Amino acid sequence: MNVLIVGANGQIGTQVVDLLKDSDKHTPVAMVRKEEQVEEFKEKGVQTVLVDLESSVEELESAMDNMDAVVFTAGSGGSTGYDKTLLIDLDGAVKVMEAAKAKGVDRFVMVSAFGADNRDYWNESIKPYYVAKHYADLYLEGSGLTYTIVRPGALTNDEGTGKVRLEEAIRSGDNFDIPRADVARLLVETLDTEAAYNKAFDVVGGDTSIKEALKSI
Ligand SMILES: NC(=O)c1ccc[n+]([C@@H]2O[C@H](COP(=O)([O-])OP(=O)(O)OC[C@H]3O[C@@H](n4cnc5c(N)ncnc54)[C@H](OP(=O)(O)O)[C@@H]3O)[C@@H](O)[C@H]2O)c1
């Protein structure tokens, strides 16, 4: 598959790009928003498209040429205001879905957030972030695209283990962390795993291999 990675320059995104680059089945195209990022990916031999998530749907459509799938792992981050949460995490995500739909790019893998599906689990201090994630996910579920919504727990930069705990809704336990490396591997594995099509699930660190965990959802 030709896979457009939205948020390719991010901490998960760069790992997804590297995994896809080394894969026999897929080819990554990095969507970035700055000229210098284009150069960095070029040096690695990775094709890029330069589009900002605050652009129009039409501009985002231009990033979809020849694509088979989208992995959305962008985010406005904790150091911007809630205006950017709305513009990137909600409207940016929805515009990418609209562009994918318009261009017939049917496969869409979304990085959401743990518990985004259930208001009872929204952290009071960042509630608007959960609102954005929640409604972006709902839009994707109703879009007609073949989606997978991955809701990871707290991201760490620990080494990946290749193992996870993956359930439709995780509501108990004592580990809610997950290394970004494992989220990246999961996203790549998800792309052509039919068991994960049109599914949404929480994922944290665990002891089931990513392949096995995906098969059993
Ligand atoms: N932190 C957590 O514990 C946690 C938990 C669950 C889920 N998540 C979700 O995980 C995802 C990725 O996490 P991460 O750690 O990889 O994040 P990250 O390193 O902050 O990466 C986010 C990426 O989004 C890009 N981006 C932001 N605004 C953009 C715009 N206007 N146009 C195009 N790209 C834009 C950034 O581009 P630049 O590189 O140019 O800045 C960056 O590459 C996010 O969706 C986040 O909400 C996080």
Side-chain angles (χ1 to χ4, degrees), residues 91-139:
D91 197 42
V94 168
K95 286 188 294 184
V96 174
M97 294 169 210
E98 288 178 1
K101 187 86 185 165
K103 296 300 285 279
V105 182
D106 180 60
R107 185 78 185 100
F108 201 110
V109 180
M110 179 67 162
V111 178
S112 180
F114 186 93
D117 56 318
N118 186 328
R119 291 186 182 89
D120 293 344
Y121 289 83
W122 296 358
N123 181 330
E124 206 54 49
S125 65
I126 52 167
K127 225 172 187 174
Y129 166 75
Y130 284 100
V131 172
K133 287 298 209 188
H134 179 76
Y135 286 100
D137 293 352
L138 275 187
Y139 190 93

Side-chain angles (χ1 to χ4, degrees), residues 3-23 26-32 40-41 44-48 71 73 184 187-188:
V3 185
L4 182 72
I5 301 99
V6 180
N9 193 57
Q11 298 170 85
I12 291 178
T14 48
Q15 299 191 56
V16 172
V17 170
D18 290 343
L19 290 170
L20 291 173
K21 189 171 160 281
D22 293 341
S23 123
H26 306 298
T27 306
V29 175
M31 190 181 117
V32 293
E40 284 164 22
F41 281 101
K44 288 207 275 188
V46 173
Q47 203 187 317
T48 56
V71 173
T73 182
L187 295 172
V188 170

Side-chain angles (χ1 to χ4, degrees), residues 60-105:
L60 288 161
E61 279 179 25
S62 69
M64 299 287 165
D65 286 338
N66 302 317
M67 291 301 125
D68 303 301
V70 174
V71 173
F72 187 98
T73 182
S76 57
S79 57
T80 61
Y82 285 130
D83 52 342
K84 294 294 180 192
T85 308
L86 272 180
L87 291 169
I88 305 307
D89 302 82
L90 179 52
D91 197 42
V94 168
K95 286 188 294 184
V96 174
M97 294 169 210
E98 288 178 1
K101 187 86 185 165
K103 296 300 285 279
V105 182

Side-chain angles (χ1 to χ4, degrees), residues 152-165:
L155 302 174
T156 73
N157 288 329
D158 294 344
E159 211 169 302
T161 64
K163 294 184 173 177
V164 293
R165 176 180 173 199

